[in-house]
Amino acid sequence: MNPWAVYALSGVAMFSVGLVGLFSHEHPVKRILASNIAGSGVLLVLVALARREPTGAPDPVPHALVLTGIVVSVSATALGVALARRIARIDATAKAESTGASDPEAGGGSA
Amino acid sequence: MTAALLDACLALCLPLLAWLVLRTESLSQSVVLFVAMGLLSALAWARLDAPDISLVEAAVGTGLTGALLMHTLSWTDERPPDVAARARHRPWAVVAMAALTGMLGWAVLSLPSDDPGLTREVDAHLAESGVEHPVTAVLLNYRGYDTLLEIAVLLVAVLGARAVNPRSERTTPEPSRDPLTGELFRMMTPALLLVAGYLVWVGEHGPGGAFQAGAILAGGGVVALLTTRLGTPRMSSWRVRWALLTGPLLFIGAAVAPLFSGRALLEYREAQAGTVIFVVELALTVSIAMVLWMFFPGMRPARAERSGKEPS
């Protein structure tokens, strides 16, 4: 089998693992990890396809696309982590309020 | 033969590690496995003759993403409740995964196996692009739109990340007093600056460029946040705003300028293309480094804070 085909199949498998993981996890950080894995799989397929001609330099267009893709995926990760952190903080505040006040309905309004 | 074996090993290990990342119960283990997976994929990019991508993957995809994810361990539960963290065991998950892999694998293998893609077109016009490295030519000349929009995506993402967590604008509470890390950072700084400068310069004729250089500077910045008294950059500071905006503004200027002389957007004059690309890359390096640096929340992990306060 051609080396590019080996890596392309590997990328396909990574994408499937990531996609199924994305749907079967509830923890936000795990979901971020899963979407990153699925993304890496797609990028691996792209770069493998760029190497199809056995002689000479690989196709630079997919390479540029993948470079853009990696940087965009790190910014998506950063935004996802920030959102997850915000959710965790809101959850923690809600939990503290419901355990702190004896009657959760009476003590509303404090931020 | 050895190369084929290495390829097979890498290709097997990557999906396997991906599977382990998602299966492990402990969050810190899965983050470490994820970083290991990133390093292996950097090797895979190198095997596929993509040194540019390998550099970016090692610095951004693994280094900075790893630091960001490690930071999440400070505010999430180390061992989240079983229901939440572990994949709920559903028989369809494995079946769906196998079916998807089979289908997509068949689609990929049925593609023609010797398609050179756009290599010839890129090579034919390389002389007009102003740079000698085809990937840089695609990124900053042929497909300048992509890079221009990408830098906009980065800016929006950093604004979003800062907006939902305005508390992270606080300065870093107290840096670690470990003398070793501080000394290491001091020794590292000149090398970091040198490597970043070299990468911007070399992007014109070899693997390198604004993204790689920016990522390395941002990595140094994260280490600085963790080891020195330097606080997180504040969005309210004018200097930070200028650093964030120089790249995009200069790039937009360079993109719009050709319109005034009757050419298309981003259609540089052939004689000036090299200079324009270099100046844009230099400015982009500053902005990319700033954006990537500001993704890092900068608060020291809660657990480390607690253990740091104990002796006092």
Side-chain angles (χ1 to χ4, degrees):
Chain A
M1 201 186 277
N2 294 320
W4 72 263
V6 174
Y7 283 109
L9 286 181
S10 169
V12 164
M14 268 172 90
F15 173 74
S16 319
V17 169
L19 193 70
V20 172
L22 189 62
F23 286 116
S24 52
H25 281 283
E26 276 178 12
H27 196 282
V29 178
K30 284 265 179 166
R31 280 190 173 170
I32 293 169
L33 282 170
S35 65
N36 260 306
I37 288 170
S40 299
V42 174
L43 302 181
L44 190 55
V45 173
L46 262 177
V47 178
L49 291 182
R51 197 74 201 87
R52 275 184 293 170
E53 205 189 29
T55 52
D59 187 357
V61 177
H63 283 195
L65 284 179
V66 169
L67 274 180
T68 311
I70 291 177
V71 177
V72 169
S73 80
V74 78
S75 53
T77 307
L79 191 58
V81 164
L83 285 172
R85 189 165 168 225
R86 181 80 180 147
I87 292 168
R89 194 181 293 149
I90 290 172
D91 281 353
T93 321
K95 204 187 266 179
E97 270 177 14
S98 64
T99 51
S102 52
D103 184 9
E105 277 163 59
S110 66
Chain B
M1 182 60 210
T2 331
L5 205 66
L6 179 67
D7 286 340
C9 264
L10 273 176
L12 262 180
C13 283
L14 283 172
L16 197 74
L17 273 173
W19 168 253
L20 284 176
V21 167
L22 295 176
R23 259 214 58 176
T24 319
E25 269 181 65
S26 147
L27 212 53
S28 57
Q29 265 182 36
S30 54
V31 169
V32 170
L33 282 170
F34 180 79
V35 171
M37 193 194 80
L39 287 174
L40 280 190
S41 63
L43 269 182
W45 305 129
R47 283 289 305 148
L48 286 164
D49 293 313
D52 292 274
I53 306 177
S54 194
L55 275 170
V56 170
E57 172 72 43
V60 186
T62 305
L64 283 172
T65 310
L68 263 173
L69 289 169
M70 288 276 181
H71 191 269
T72 64
L73 299 177
S74 63
W75 50 261
T76 44
D77 301 322
E78 164 64 14
R79 269 181 194 283
D82 292 17
V83 215
R86 202 195 305 154
R88 280 166 296 166
H89 291 289
R90 286 177 175 167
W92 61 259
V94 180
V95 178
M97 203 146 58
L100 197 63
T101 310
M103 230 160 57
L104 292 173
W106 175 75
V108 164
L109 288 183
S110 62
L111 289 168
S113 67
D114 55 351
D115 186 3
L118 295 168
T119 320
R120 305 235 164 84
E121 283 84 345
V122 171
D123 282 346
H125 296 280
L126 199 57
E128 301 157 29
S129 71
V131 291
E132 287 165 32
H133 187 48
V135 176
T136 311
V138 174
L139 269 178
L140 285 147
N141 202 329
Y142 310 148
R143 295 294 316 164
Y145 286 107
D146 293 348
T147 313
L148 187 56
L149 291 177
E150 175 188 10
I151 190 79
V153 168
L154 280 175
L155 271 182
V156 171
V158 80
L159 285 177
R162 282 296 167 120
V164 292
N165 277 316
R167 278 201 206 178
S168 61
E169 289 223 347
R170 275 190 200 166
T171 49
T172 317
E174 187 72 4
S176 82
R177 291 185 183 281
D178 185 1
L180 200 65
T181 46
E183 197 54 45
L184 183 72
F185 177 69
R186 239 162 275 142
M187 282 161 60
M188 223 171 65
T189 314
L192 267 176
L193 291 175
L194 197 67
V195 170
Y198 172 73
L199 280 173
V200 181
W201 173 78
V202 85
E204 188 261 324
H205 55 265
F211 292 106
Q212 289 90 336
I216 284 178
L217 287 180
V222 170
V223 177
L225 283 185
L226 295 175
T227 55
T228 63
R229 295 192 155 272
L230 192 72
T232 334
R234 289 158 182 271
M235 199 63 105
S236 48
S237 141
W238 278 104
R239 259 183 286 175
V240 170
R241 288 181 188 182
W242 275 115
L244 283 173
L245 287 176
T246 28
L249 288 180
L250 223 112
F251 203 172
I252 291 172
V256 170
L259 290 178
F260 293 104
S261 49
R263 278 165 297 146
L265 192 75
L266 280 162
E267 191 187 339
Y268 311 132
R269 215 184 284 278
E270 208 180 307
Q272 301 162 352
T275 323
V276 171
I277 289 177
F278 183 71
V279 172
V280 167
E281 278 216 280
L282 213 57
L284 281 182
T285 306
V286 174
S287 296
I288 290 168
M290 204 66 203
V291 167
L292 293 177
W293 187 22
M294 288 182 72
F295 280 150
F296 197 73
M299 302 283 278
R300 300 203 57 237
R303 225 171 289 123
E305 257 170 50
R306 247 177 276 139
S307 63
K309 273 175 191 167
E310 268 162 27
S312 60

